[in-house]
Amino acid sequence: VAAIQTGEVDIVTRLSAEEAQSLLGVENVKVIKYPVERVYYIAFNNLTTGLDQPTMDAKVRQAMNYAVDVDLLIDALFDGFAEPASGYVVAGELGFGNVEPFGYDPDQAQALLEEAGYPNGFAMDMACPVGAYTNFEEVCEAVVGFLGDVGIDVTLELMESGQYWDLEANKELPPLFGDSWSAAGGEAFRRLTGALGGENASYSAWSDPQIDELLAEIQATPDQDERAALYGELQVYMQEDPPFIYLYQPVQFEA
């Protein structure tokens, strides 16, 4: 921030909202912001630790999405500078826009839990990395609070990020875990295959034959419009049968 004002550097990236606001109106400094091709989420694990858990039921996973007030989280922790994620394809990527974010609806969350056979909720473990992403520890703690409000008692473990990603690669994290994934190039394909590739993907904790089929079709489809339609179909399916609690797409600042 100091260097951009003195002319020592021409561009600074990854500014926080506070840093960007401090540069507004500074002579010869222009601040820009834009949504980043990255999504933050809480992953469900159906490969190892989550196999015998209530989250194997899609209604439970939908309920947990409805239980989290993402808008409040964005306002409280990011000064409003992020967008609620509607899925694992984000704004600016091919095929985005077929679905809306779940939104905050704790009554719907509790109704779905009751339908799934958990009227009194349940208990579950969750992990998140420390120092990996801006305010992410606070994000995970807020998610735990929101889930607690609908009767889901989550025990959160915050761990050093290097150890965390080692455990993630070995598929040894708890049934719930928080993370973030970026993708470059205008499509979500790398993010989708990386996080949903089952046993064959290093950091995946989820496997679903229908997702596998759609991703294979996307990979084999050279026509961009047809591929966009497939991404749209995938987004609809991934709300009906969500592999994640979808949180937010960050806004990045540069000067």
Side-chain angles (χ1 to χ4, degrees):
V1 172
I4 193 76
Q5 293 182 71
T6 62
E8 182 183 343
V9 298
D10 297 310
I11 300 172
V12 288
T13 62
R14 295 193 176 189
L15 292 169
S16 68
E18 293 81 5
E19 289 169 333
Q21 287 171 332
S22 76
L23 291 170
L24 293 175
V26 174
E27 189 176 359
N28 297 323
V29 175
K30 180 180 180 182
V31 177
I32 62 169
K33 66 181 175 73
Y34 54 91
V36 186
E37 291 175 327
R38 176 181 286 275
V39 61
Y40 287 80
Y41 57 89
I42 305 298
F44 298 110
N45 183 339
N46 78 347
L47 293 181
T48 57
T49 56
L51 279 171
D52 58 348
Q53 298 293 323
T55 45
M56 293 299 289
D57 189 321
K59 286 182 179 177
V60 170
R61 287 180 269 118
Q62 289 175 8
M64 292 169 77
N65 272 279
Y66 283 117
V68 178
D69 191 342
V70 176
D71 287 314
L72 179 60
L73 189 154
I74 288 170
D75 287 342
L77 296 175
F78 301 100
D79 296 326
F81 293 111
E83 296 294 332
S86 58
Y88 217 56
V89 178
V90 297
E93 292 178 330
L94 184 67
F96 171 78
N98 269 43
V99 293
E100 294 295 323
F102 273 90
Y104 179 54
D105 191 339
D107 292 335
Q108 175 72 351
Q110 290 179 315
L112 285 164
L113 288 172
E114 190 164 341
E115 284 180 35
Y118 301 99
N120 300 315
F122 52 87
M124 182 165 280
D125 291 336
M126 174 172 142
C128 284
V130 170
Y133 312 113
T134 303
N135 293 347
F136 198 58
E137 298 96 309
E138 291 86 350
V139 167
C140 291
E141 289 165 351
V143 169
V144 169
F146 289 128
L147 294 175
D149 289 342
V150 296
I152 301 173
D153 181 16
V154 177
T155 300
L156 174 63
E157 181 180 1
L158 297 172
M159 64 179 70
E160 187 273 326
S161 57
Q163 175 198 5
Y164 186 86
W165 286 313
D166 284 345
L167 291 173
E168 188 173 354
N170 291 327
K171 312 201 186 304
E172 295 173 355
L173 286 175
L176 296 175
F177 63 91
D179 213 336
S180 163
W181 203 299
S182 65
E187 294 193 28
F189 187 77
R190 283 187 182 179
R191 181 188 306 119
L192 288 158
T193 52
L196 299 169
E199 294 288 354
N200 297 323
S202 295
Y203 293 96
S204 170
W206 192 262
S207 181
D208 182 323
Q210 189 158 340
I211 291 175
D212 293 342
E213 187 177 323
L214 280 165
L215 288 174
E217 199 171 347
I218 287 168
Q219 189 173 32
T221 302
D223 183 270
Q224 184 164 297
D225 291 339
E226 292 177 15
R227 209 161 62 252
L230 289 168
Y231 278 119
E233 185 179 338
L234 181 59
Q235 289 169 80
V236 171
Y237 178 74
M238 287 176 61
Q239 276 209 340
E240 295 169 351
D241 202 341
F244 311 102
I245 299 174
Y246 304 112
L247 296 177
Y248 54 90
Q249 178 183 12
V251 169
Q252 182 152 304
F253 294 90
E254 298 186 2

